[in-house]
């Protein structure tokens, strides 16, 4: 029986979401469009199989086939990140990070990460996350110019003496200097952990400096700039760390791995290893450059005055509207973004003075510089006249026409 016949409610909602994704413009920096082939294997019978353990060391029978699949995913992941070890089992980026901490730290150990309100991530020690509850967390941030001041990181590290330093961010538009972070980590005897969830797709294409050989351990999600299925991965070149990571993920924090997702990760990695991938990643950055330039030409302030990667962070500290207002106005026009705090923030995290915009999903649709220029100008038009609901409606229609020329999924998936 088809899903349509069996559960019309969920079928209809899924189609509604498909329509939303296809008709609107997706500019949330952490979202992307995965491949139909990735979805095909993710929706396969592999979901039925329990496979606690690792290839050839399972606690269940019948794992011969999924062992092969996991080994393919591991080998492709290692090739992609040019490293000796990969664990492809984490269900998410957060669980990957939890696994890294569990492997390398004891409760109460000190960690130093980027402040959430400066572009860091919840799992980098935020007090509301287990990373800030189990471990004693300290933070570095960005300066008012929107950039990490590595000398300040060094000063804080020398005062705090953390056992682990986390680098990586969710809303940072500049390259991360992994070599500099390692220098600092070595000075204080800390592990360097790079969470490259946002930039992994650029890193593997040579469009962002590599965290290896600098980081002791690296984590990522597979669904952001990598365009694979939702999930997490952990990589290292250190044999001892590798052993600890494996035990921390299973049996430490996870049970049976999601074999359908691991297979989908393998399919995604195959795409990431192709020549086509390099072209995509280059275009993501080029589109972000155009977006940044047009917004700045239109007198909008960007944190750090531009971008090196796939995202821009707009600051409305000099405007009489908030990130939330901008998020709503763009949402009314069919452009999905998210409000974000900015350096020197004066509003609450629910209101904010900033907006984070990314180009990975539009680039996956085939948008190039010309289309980005059009979109960026529409964004500026909407924000210039933020209360003009008629303009928002008008632009929404125009953007639907633009989107219809860039079909992301050839046919309805359901
Ligand atoms: N939620 C992701 C992001 O939007 O950056 C991070 O986990």
């Amino acid at each position: 029986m088809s899903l349509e016949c069996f559960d019309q409610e969920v079928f209809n909602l899924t189609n509604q979401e498909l329509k939303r994704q296809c008709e609107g413009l997706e500019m949330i920096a952490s979202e992307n469009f995965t491949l139909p082939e990735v979805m095909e294997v993710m929706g396969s019978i592999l979901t039925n199989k329990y496979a606690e353990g690792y290839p050839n060391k399972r606690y269940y029978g019948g794992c011969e086939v999924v062992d092969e699949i996991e080994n393919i995913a591991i080998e492709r992941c290692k090739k992609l990140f040019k490293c000796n070890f990969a664990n492809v089992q984490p269900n998410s980026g957060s669980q990957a990070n939890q696994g890294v901490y569990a492997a390398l730290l004891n409760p109460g150990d000190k960690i130093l990460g980027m402040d959430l309100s400066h572009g860091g991530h919840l799992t980098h020690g935020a007090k509301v996350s287990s990373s800030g509850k189990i471990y004693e967390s300290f933070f570095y941030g960005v300066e008012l110019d929107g950039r990490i001041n590595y000398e300040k990181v060094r000063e804080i590290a020398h005062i705090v003496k953390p056992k682990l330093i986390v680098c990586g961010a969710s809303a940072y538009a500049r390259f991360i200097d992994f070599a500099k972070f390692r220098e600092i980590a070595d000075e204080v005897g800390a592990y360097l952990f790079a969470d490259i969830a946002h930039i992994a797709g650029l890193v593997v294409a040579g469009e962002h400096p590599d965290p290896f050989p600098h980081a002791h351990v690296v984590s990522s999600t597979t669904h952001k700039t990598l365009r694979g299925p939702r999930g997490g991965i952990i990589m290292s070149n250190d044999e001892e760390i590798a052993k600890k990571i494996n035990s921390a993920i299973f049996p430490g924090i996870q049970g049976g791995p999601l074999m359908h997702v691991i297979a989908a990760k393998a399919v995604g990695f195959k795409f990431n290893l192709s020549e086509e991938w390099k072209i995509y990643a280059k275009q993501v950055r080029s589109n972000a450059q155009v977006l940044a330039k047009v917004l700045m030409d239109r007198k909008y302030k960007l944190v750090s005055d531009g971008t090196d990667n796939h995202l821009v962070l707009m600051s409305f500290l000099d405007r009489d509207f908030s990130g939330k207002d901008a998020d709503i106005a763009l949402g009314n026009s069919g452009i999905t973004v998210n409000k974000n705090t900015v350096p020197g923030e004066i509003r609450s995290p629910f209101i904010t003075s900033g907006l984070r915009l990314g180009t990975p999903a539009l680039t996956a649709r085939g948008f190039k510089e010309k289309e980005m220029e059009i979109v960026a100008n529409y964004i500026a038009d909407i924000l210039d006249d933020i209360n003009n609901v008629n303009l928002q409606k008008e632009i929404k229609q125009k953007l639907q026409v633009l989107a219809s020329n860039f079909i992301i999924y050839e046919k309805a998936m359901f």
Side-chain angles (χ1 to χ4, degrees):
M1 193 183 288
S2 67
L3 176 65
E4 183 172 12
C5 297
F6 184 71
D7 189 340
Q8 207 159 62
E9 213 178 350
V10 171
F11 173 83
N12 288 342
L13 286 169
T14 309
N15 267 326
Q16 259 181 50
E17 174 60 13
L18 175 67
K19 187 168 148 56
R20 188 195 69 79
Q21 290 188 15
C22 291
E23 286 186 357
L25 295 193
E26 183 52 71
M27 295 193 76
I28 291 180
S30 51
E31 292 190 11
N32 213 329
F33 295 108
T34 195
L35 304 186
E37 293 83 354
V38 165
M39 291 190 278
E40 189 179 335
V41 76
M42 222 179 346
S44 74
I45 46 79
L46 292 171
T47 191
N48 297 336
K49 189 70 198 100
Y50 252 124
E52 282 177 18
Y54 290 97
N56 307 320
K57 275 175 277 171
R58 306 283 191 185
Y59 292 83
Y60 290 80
C63 288
E64 308 77 36
V65 178
V66 292
D67 274 3
E68 278 192 54
I69 291 175
E70 185 163 345
N71 278 331
I72 291 173
I74 290 169
E75 290 310 312
R76 287 184 186 166
C77 188
K78 281 163 39 179
K79 191 167 174 196
L80 194 55
F81 290 92
K82 301 185 196 74
C83 61
N84 299 333
F85 163 80
N87 185 310
V88 295
Q89 293 195 359
N91 294 331
S92 68
S94 292
Q95 277 174 288
N97 292 357
Q98 212 182 321
V100 171
Y101 297 140
L104 303 180
L105 304 171
N106 291 311
D109 279 348
K110 293 178 184 173
I111 63 171
L112 175 61
M114 190 158 171
D115 195 325
L116 181 62
S117 66
H118 285 231
H121 189 254
L122 274 170
T123 58
H124 296 180
K127 299 295 176 190
V128 290
S129 119
S130 66
S131 62
K133 290 186 200 289
I134 300 176
Y135 311 102
E136 195 183 355
S137 55
F138 297 85
F139 303 99
Y140 57 87
V142 293
E143 300 292 295
L144 286 176
D145 67 1
R147 292 177 189 255
I148 295 170
N149 175 339
Y150 291 90
E151 281 317 303
K152 274 215 178 143
V153 179
R154 173 173 276 122
E155 271 171 38
I156 299 169
H158 278 266
I159 295 167
V160 170
K161 300 209 177 354
K163 189 161 175 194
L164 179 148
I165 297 176
V166 200
C167 60
S170 302
Y172 187 64
R174 294 300 176 179
F175 284 156
I176 291 171
D177 189 340
F178 297 112
K180 187 70 81 183
F181 267 112
R182 176 60 186 259
E183 232 177 76
I184 298 168
D186 282 348
E187 285 171 24
V188 298
Y191 288 114
L192 180 63
F193 166 33
D195 174 352
I196 60 165
H198 260 265
I199 52 172
L202 304 181
V203 167
V204 299
E207 292 291 325
H208 187 290
D210 212 306
F212 288 122
H214 311 293
H216 294 97
V217 58
V218 175
S219 76
S220 181
T221 51
T222 43
H223 50 275
K224 294 189 179 89
T225 47
L226 280 174
R227 280 181 71 185
R230 267 203 130 64
I233 42 176
I234 305 172
M235 288 78 67
S236 182
N237 277 323
D238 182 308
E239 221 172 291
E240 283 311 303
I241 291 178
K243 279 187 207 147
K244 289 180 183 172
I245 296 281
N246 275 351
S247 315
I249 291 295
F250 175 82
I253 61 165
Q254 288 190 179
L258 307 179
M259 295 315 304
H260 54 306
V261 179
I262 288 173
K265 285 174 184 170
V267 175
F269 295 150
K270 183 167 182 166
F271 184 35
N272 303 143
L273 283 162
S274 68
E275 281 307 305
E276 195 188 329
W277 183 259
K278 294 199 176 92
I279 298 168
Y280 166 74
K282 202 176 181 55
Q283 191 67 54
V284 167
R285 278 187 70 210
S286 180
N287 285 352
Q289 296 286 334
V290 172
L291 177 64
K293 181 174 185 316
V294 173
L295 292 174
M296 290 191 294
D297 286 349
R298 294 282 304 261
K299 307 290 175 237
Y300 282 91
K301 169 98 188 90
L302 299 190
V303 173
S304 86
D305 299 314
T307 180
D308 293 330
N309 57 26
H310 62 299
L311 65 84
V312 302
L313 189 55
M314 299 182 79
S315 170
F316 307 127
L317 284 172
D318 58 345
R319 305 273 168 162
D320 58 4
F321 58 83
S322 67
K324 185 179 177 187
D325 297 330
D327 183 341
I328 293 170
L330 294 180
N332 290 341
S333 316
I335 302 173
T336 315
V337 293
N338 66 277
K339 57 180 184 280
N340 219 96
T341 51
V342 291
E345 185 58 76
I346 48 169
R347 298 179 169 103
S348 87
F350 296 103
I351 308 290
T352 79
S353 302
L355 206 61
R356 188 184 67 161
L357 302 120
T359 56
L362 291 188
T363 308
R365 285 189 90 133
F367 278 43
K368 295 209 163 61
E369 290 81 356
K370 185 173 139 228
E371 291 78 27
M372 281 315 305
E373 199 175 326
I374 295 171
V375 173
N377 273 303
Y378 278 139
I379 291 171
D381 291 344
I382 295 160
L383 299 179
D384 282 352
D385 196 1
I386 196 157
N387 295 316
N388 189 341
V389 180
N390 288 335
L391 178 70
Q392 291 164 15
K393 278 190 200 142
E394 207 180 289
I395 291 178
K396 182 174 186 171
Q397 279 172 0
K398 289 184 181 155
L399 289 177
Q400 272 179 7
V401 174
L402 179 68
S404 69
N405 294 325
F406 293 86
I407 309 279
I408 181 68
Y409 295 123
E410 284 297 333
K411 56 182 169 60
M413 301 299 298
F414 304 97

